[in-house]
Amino acid sequence: MPSASGQKMVSMPVMVPLADVLEITRQTAVLAFNTGYEFSNMMIPAKRGTYSDRWYSSGIV
């Protein structure tokens, strides 16, 4: 799924009841999703021409 909003649409129906069962707030579940999503984008960029592509081409990484 290419977009964050599409991934959230698929993931949140699972994460919200899970957050309720684990007795954490729904805001915390959304924050956990967003943090994981952004962290994975830093590690594995989706397409060329992104910010991290400049690091790779400069020889820094």
Side-chain angles (χ1 to χ4, degrees), residues 9-35:
M9 186 179 76
V10 172
S11 300
M12 285 303 135
V14 174
M15 290 188 70
V16 167
L18 184 62
D20 292 340
V21 168
L22 295 174
E23 298 180 356
I24 60 173
T25 63
R26 293 178 178 188
Q27 291 86 356
T28 304
V30 172
L31 179 64
F33 177 86
N34 287 338
T35 303

Side-chain angles (χ1 to χ4, degrees), residues 7 33-46 52:
Q7 288 181 2
F33 177 86
N34 287 338
T35 303
Y37 178 78
E38 294 301 329
F39 182 75
S40 67
N41 281 344
M42 286 191 304
M43 297 297 116
I44 307 167
S52 60

